[in-house]
Amino acid sequence: KEPAATIVEMLKDVASYEGEDAVFECRLSRETTQDTQWFLGDVPLQSNEMNEIRVQGTRHSLILRKVTLEDSGSISFKVGQYTSAA
């Protein structure tokens, strides 16, 4: 069983204008096969035409495309029992 990954670089608050992309990044202690999940408020996010979720090694990124006022709120990232929010 692999040891749990922890979040070593937390999410940072992002301010963006309507129509721009908002980029959120955090870094884990190690590459992991554990489930990771992004949320906007309580809503789980998936990669689609509006959201791009990327994993590059230990760096996990979420890009919200062409944000609107409705997109404002808390973004959180979860891995195992660890959570970071911005």
Side-chain angles (χ1 to χ4, degrees):
K1 186 170 184 262
E2 66 174 337
T6 59
I7 301 171
V8 294
E9 198 174 294
M10 296 294 189
L11 293 176
K12 294 176 178 58
D13 290 340
V14 172
S16 52
Y17 293 100
E18 250 187 318
E20 290 183 345
D21 292 351
V23 180
F24 297 87
E25 284 190 337
C26 63
R27 200 161 53 82
L28 301 183
S29 57
R30 54 193 297 284
E31 289 187 39
T32 181
T33 56
Q34 275 180 278
D35 284 342
T36 58
Q37 181 68 62
W38 289 94
F39 295 88
L40 174 56
D42 295 329
V43 180
L45 298 176
Q46 292 167 343
S47 254
N48 56 35
E49 64 279 350
M50 298 305 296
N51 315 312
E52 184 181 339
I53 295 172
R54 283 191 200 154
V55 179
Q56 294 160 305
T58 59
R59 185 165 299 283
H60 290 251
S61 313
L62 168 68
I63 302 164
L64 299 180
R65 303 251 176 244
K66 297 185 174 60
V67 294
T68 64
L69 287 173
E70 289 77 50
D71 293 321
S72 65
S74 177
I75 293 285
S76 56
F77 175 81
K78 288 187 175 148
V79 57
Q81 64 192 22
Y82 302 98
T83 303
S84 177

